[in-house]
Amino acid sequence: MPLLGCIADDFTGATDLASQLVSIGMRTVQTIGIPDEGLAADLEDIDAVVVALKSRTLPAETAVEQSLAALEWLKARGCEQFYFKYCSTFDSTSEGNIGPVTDALMDALDVSFTVACPALPANRRTVYNGYLFAGGVPLNESGMQDHPLTPMTDANLVRVMDSQTRHRVGLVEFDCVRRGSEAVRSRFDTLRADGVGVAVLDAIEQQDLETLGEACRDLTLVTAGSGLALGLGARWRDQLTGGDAARLPAIPGREVILSGSCSRATLAQIEHTKAHYPHYRLDALTLAENYQDQVAEALALAREHLDRSPVLIHASASPDNVKRAQQLLGVQAAGEIVERALGEIAGALVNELGVRRLLVAGGESSGAVVSALEVKGLQIGPSIDPGVPWTVTLGTGERLALALKSGNFGSEDFMTKAWETMP
Ligand code: ADP
């Protein structure tokens, strides 16, 4: 029976949390949405489960509905503690969804107090006096103020949370955090007595998250980025299934890299990889004109080289190039046609060409590939770089090794070194 049940509001964020849990010795499974009975056997001998939703930018009502369904499923599995995972930049729309989902989970679990802790010092997301900093600057100056879907224009999380939740919002200040977990717990008591339902937590360094994790050990519900997981781990130490939590079965087979990410880090990784492996570039405009021919060409290149080397198939392009495609096709349609092609190519590579090991770059792109391959769940294994573990698919059907990389993660040689860390 899993001890810890997590609900993540997006796909690669779920993988990030799952890989943090594995790093503290918890055998962890990530499910794609709420799984059906097909996964039952894979959920028996694990310490934590992360349900990956795609609820971050849904209407708040739908996000609440999905999160509550995930909670019910986790409760039925026997989880003892629950973790609502969101982004370390507190990505939310003006309507939520962090506040409304937190409220609904508190009601469903019958708790009157929880915490909000997005801090992730390893990625330079820190909280001081309730203000969230990303890369050393306030959130609203970090570029997040221009995010197309979840623009963050206020770095003050007490204010942001206050506008989203019906609970009173309080703060556990940095000075208190530095006095240790006992001091934090007693601050929780004071806040509770003052009628506070959600406490924003200051944290600047890793050691602060450890203090906070220890202080949160008895809370039924926590809400956080992936960072708090490290601190919570101590609670479970004596109850874990044991052994190497990152162990995965060996998956032999052909190797491919698929990328639909146009993030800066991915573009550098693609340049590096092109010098090492055969590669093919999908073009959004060409796909729009002649979809079948371009997909066939990509598969022909793969067929020619796959028995000797990994092959790279990517749509990744410079911002100018992407903009041109978006102007001519529309933003949505340009993204969709690339995602459709990546999904179809992934299906053919696996079903017809014997590919069993896939590295996918891009959050949305990963979603498209996982859905085309009808993946229901992932066993989380060793990390290639922080936040990007190797995983092995669960459920019925042939097992695949998948590494799903969100755009800005990974070092420049990520796509060539990844194969060395494979089980
Ligand atoms: P990231 O994690 O880097 O944000 P995503 O996969 O989430 O990557 O998002 C990238 C989006 O850009 C996807 O919807 C993808 O289909 C789209 N895309 C990729 N290449 C192009 C291109 N050449 N022109 C237009 N859109 C593209």
Side-chain angles (χ1 to χ4, degrees), residues 18-279:
S19 92
Q20 299 270 20
L21 294 170
V22 165
S23 78
I24 54 170
M26 299 184 88
R27 281 184 72 73
T28 304
V29 161
Q30 174 179 341
T31 67
I32 316 301
I34 301 167
D36 54 29
E37 285 309 305
L39 275 192
D42 296 305
L43 297 168
E44 270 167 20
D45 201 18
I46 58 170
D47 303 307
V49 56
V50 182
V51 178
L53 300 178
K54 220 169 174 289
S55 56
R56 183 171 297 168
T57 55
L58 292 176
E61 215 171 282
T62 319
V64 162
E65 213 171 278
Q66 293 188 3
S67 306
L68 286 177
L71 177 70
E72 281 314 306
W73 183 82
L74 290 167
K75 275 164 78 177
R77 304 276 86 64
C79 296
E80 294 173 27
Q81 189 173 36
F82 301 89
Y83 194 124
F84 171 36
K85 153 76 173 73
Y86 39 72
C87 189
S88 59
T89 40
F90 216 69
D91 300 22
S92 45
T93 64
S94 51
E95 291 78 39
N97 295 332
I98 295 177
V101 170
T102 300
D103 287 352
L105 295 176
M106 289 174 76
D107 288 347
L109 289 164
D110 199 19
V111 298
S112 58
F113 182 81
T114 189
V115 295
C117 180
L120 186 60
N123 285 5
R124 301 193 69 206
R125 266 61 148 174
T126 54
V127 181
Y128 184 75
N129 264 346
Y131 285 82
L132 176 55
F133 294 79
V137 298
L139 183 64
N140 58 314
E141 296 173 21
S142 69
M144 276 304 293
Q145 71 274 25
D146 299 322
H147 192 285
L149 302 175
T150 54
M152 299 302 290
T153 53
D154 188 357
N156 184 317
L157 295 186
V158 175
R159 226 164 20 218
V160 172
M161 199 56 188
D162 192 48
S163 72
Q164 294 189 10
T165 167
R166 62 180 159 68
H167 290 278
R168 235 178 116 188
V169 182
L171 175 68
V172 179
E173 302 85 351
F174 185 66
D175 290 352
C176 172
V177 176
R178 276 298 156 97
R179 287 203 302 276
S181 54
E182 271 311 313
V184 174
R185 257 195 291 262
S186 104
R187 178 85 178 121
F188 285 173
D189 291 340
T190 312
L191 289 171
R192 259 198 206 102
D194 287 347
V196 166
V198 181
V200 171
L201 307 182
D202 275 358
I204 292 181
E205 289 176 2
Q206 192 56 40
Q207 67 177 89
D208 303 325
L209 288 175
E210 279 157 31
T211 302
L212 291 169
E214 174 60 24
C216 292
R217 61 182 294 150
D218 296 326
L219 296 182
T220 306
L221 172 70
V222 297
T223 86
S226 62
L228 190 67
L230 293 178
L232 277 178
R235 168 183 175 171
W236 306 114
R237 207 164 284 145
D238 301 332
Q239 291 166 264
L240 300 182
T241 48
D244 178 6
R247 201 185 58 238
L248 291 177
I251 308 290
R254 294 169 159 186
E255 296 163 336
V256 81
I257 302 158
L258 297 173
S259 174
S261 160
C262 301
S263 296
R264 219 176 278 172
T266 305
L267 294 180
Q269 290 157 0
I270 299 269
E271 279 316 303
H272 173 88
T273 309
K274 275 158 71 176
H276 291 80
Y277 303 146
H279 48 93

Side-chain angles (χ1 to χ4, degrees), residues 12 259-264 266 281-285 314-318 321-326 329-340 342 361-367 405-408:
T12 40
S259 174
S261 160
C262 301
S263 296
R264 219 176 278 172
T266 305
R281 190 166 95 77
L282 298 167
D283 179 72
L285 291 173
H314 70 100
S316 313
S318 67
N321 191 307
V322 172
K323 216 170 275 161
R324 205 162 59 89
Q326 289 177 334
L329 301 175
V331 174
Q332 186 113 352
E336 274 170 13
I337 201 159
V338 168
E339 287 174 33
R340 185 177 140 214
L342 288 172
E364 295 298 324
S365 308
S366 293
K405 186 190 87 76
S406 93
N408 272 320

Side-chain angles (χ1 to χ4, degrees), residues 1 117 234 295 302:
M1 252 197 243
C117 180
V295 168

